[in-house]
Amino acid sequence: MKNIADHQTQIDQFRVETDFDLVAIALIEPAENQYVLKWKYASGNISTRIKKILLQSGKGIAGMVFKTGKPLIVKDRGDFAQNDDLFNFPILVFENLRSFGAVPLWHNGRVAGVLLGGYREEGLMTEEKMVLLTQKAASGIGNLDGKDLILH
């Protein structure tokens, strides 16, 4: 079993290998009667504010990916969210992300978090980069096994 402390080391290494400007992991935290997601690990971040973001399931980028269990790719932030809607996606504002991808992180057949890779320029997020994110998530990170037990 991988050590939990490996999360940060693994995303630092992954960011360097893949040239993402930011790689971050949001993990689920139990809350009163519902779950919240928090960006627990970040590599390449320009602000510590990312770690203060709390998202309910279905809210923000992490919340959307967590709730649906489906990847999200945005090649141009302007096509995804207008300036007056950016308050719903604080990571985009705090980290000045212009293009990004996010994939669910699985553990024991359930979505346990979200892996995000992003750029501070439009158009840099590609299908090839999404494959890299998906492969990283599927290989397991830290104590997350990457196993999606749902039959397709």
Side-chain angles (χ1 to χ4, degrees):
M1 178 148 217
K2 296 174 186 170
N3 185 325
I4 293 174
D6 288 345
H7 286 91
Q8 189 65 50
T9 304
Q10 288 181 36
I11 67 167
D12 286 340
Q13 185 176 2
F14 180 67
R15 183 179 61 82
V16 170
E17 291 169 357
T18 57
D19 285 333
F20 281 111
D21 291 335
L22 173 74
V23 174
I25 295 176
L27 296 175
I28 196 74
E29 292 192 344
E32 200 69 32
N33 299 325
Q34 57 190 342
Y35 290 106
V36 292
L37 286 153
K38 191 168 186 179
W39 294 104
K40 291 280 203 178
Y41 303 94
S43 179
N45 49 312
I46 55 176
S47 169
T48 57
R49 294 171 70 189
I50 184 175
K51 300 227 174 150
K52 294 181 176 142
I53 299 170
L54 277 179
L55 300 164
Q56 294 180 334
S57 179
K59 304 293 183 192
I61 293 160
M64 291 166 58
V65 173
F66 177 82
K67 186 174 183 178
T68 64
K70 298 192 181 322
L72 172 66
I73 182 172
V74 174
K75 296 178 181 180
D76 182 349
R77 180 174 87 181
D79 295 337
F80 176 71
Q82 301 305 312
N83 285 339
D84 59 350
D85 193 37
L86 285 176
F87 69 91
N88 288 314
F89 307 100
I91 193 169
L92 299 183
V93 176
F94 295 163
E95 292 300 323
N96 195 28
L97 295 181
R98 302 290 177 176
S99 60
F100 61 90
V103 297
L105 285 170
W106 296 87
H107 186 67
N108 292 334
R110 300 182 128 182
V111 179
V114 174
L115 176 64
L116 176 136
Y119 295 100
R120 295 186 178 95
E121 282 182 52
E122 288 94 358
L124 294 182
M125 191 65 208
T126 63
E127 298 296 335
E128 292 77 19
K129 293 290 187 175
M130 279 300 286
V131 168
L132 294 175
L133 273 177
T134 303
Q135 288 172 341
K136 183 63 176 170
S139 71
I141 298 175
N143 64 334
L144 303 174
D145 62 21
K147 302 289 187 273
D148 174 0
L149 302 180
I150 298 170
L151 298 176
H152 297 281

